[in-house]
Amino acid sequence: MVEVQVTETIDCPADRVLEFVMDPRAYAAVDRKIGAIDWVRRAGDVTEFRFGSKLPGIPGPAVKVVSRMTRTSDERVDVRLPPIPANRLANLVSEFSASWVCVASGERTAVTRTVRCGFKGPAKWFAEPVLRRTLRPDVEDEMRQAKAALESSGETR
């Protein structure tokens, strides 16, 4: 299992951060792991979307997966892959979870982004060592870009 956790302080309210996260088309602009999006469905605090997933450093084409993001509070969004049949390949090959946790202080928000990836079978011996080198810099870049996008959007306050 590979786990990466990165914290970035962003000059905007937590609610704005979490709404940005819950919009996969907007968030894809800052997250290279999100490829072409086929569809998005949002119902209240749950967003599901199908996209081409590409993990940093792992060769090959993007793998189509469905992601389910759930806003569990005013401070948190959790991400899981729904079970088979929506994610037949992803569920057979890997385990995945992610989250954004916000701690607000006035108009500033400390955002902690966590990504966990675990692989089963032979893929584990190849993919996990690669992700141990490539996932942290990728998530750090994602958070820098999210900060820049939110702080320059004019909608931060």
Side-chain angles (χ1 to χ4, degrees):
M1 177 74 71
V2 177
E3 179 176 322
V4 170
Q5 195 168 68
V6 175
T7 301
E8 183 75 56
T9 300
I10 302 175
D11 290 328
C12 77
D15 186 61
R16 175 70 183 112
V17 173
L18 296 178
E19 280 305 307
F20 180 56
V21 166
M22 293 289 289
D23 180 350
R25 287 191 172 96
Y27 201 81
V30 302
D31 187 350
R32 290 185 302 243
K33 295 176 293 301
I34 300 173
I37 296 173
D38 295 334
W39 52 260
V40 176
R41 297 180 186 130
R42 182 159 184 186
D45 289 335
V46 177
T47 299
E48 285 192 349
F49 68 108
R50 185 171 189 258
F51 68 104
S53 174
K54 185 79 170 117
L55 291 173
I58 305 295
V63 176
K64 293 291 185 171
V65 296
V66 174
S67 180
R68 178 180 297 141
M69 298 185 292
T70 305
R71 187 167 174 173
T72 57
S73 70
D74 289 340
E75 298 91 27
R76 184 180 184 105
V77 169
D78 290 307
V79 181
R80 299 273 188 262
L81 301 179
I84 294 170
N87 285 308
R88 186 172 311 275
L89 179 62
N91 285 345
L92 293 174
V93 175
S94 67
E95 302 169 35
F96 175 83
S97 66
S99 64
W100 289 264
V101 177
C102 295
V103 177
S105 177
E107 290 295 307
R108 301 185 84 202
T109 304
V111 182
T112 301
R113 170 81 159 121
T114 304
V115 179
R116 290 180 196 87
C117 294
F119 293 84
K120 301 173 186 171
K124 177 179 185 148
W125 305 112
F126 166 74
E128 288 187 11
V130 170
L131 285 181
R132 279 191 190 90
R133 292 188 315 274
T134 61
L135 190 58
R136 175 168 297 283
D138 182 83
V139 174
E140 289 171 345
D141 183 61
E142 170 191 337
M143 293 301 292
R144 278 191 300 272
Q145 289 189 58
K147 175 183 175 76
L150 284 161
E151 289 181 353
S152 69
S153 71
E155 301 177 36
T156 59
R157 297 191 198 282

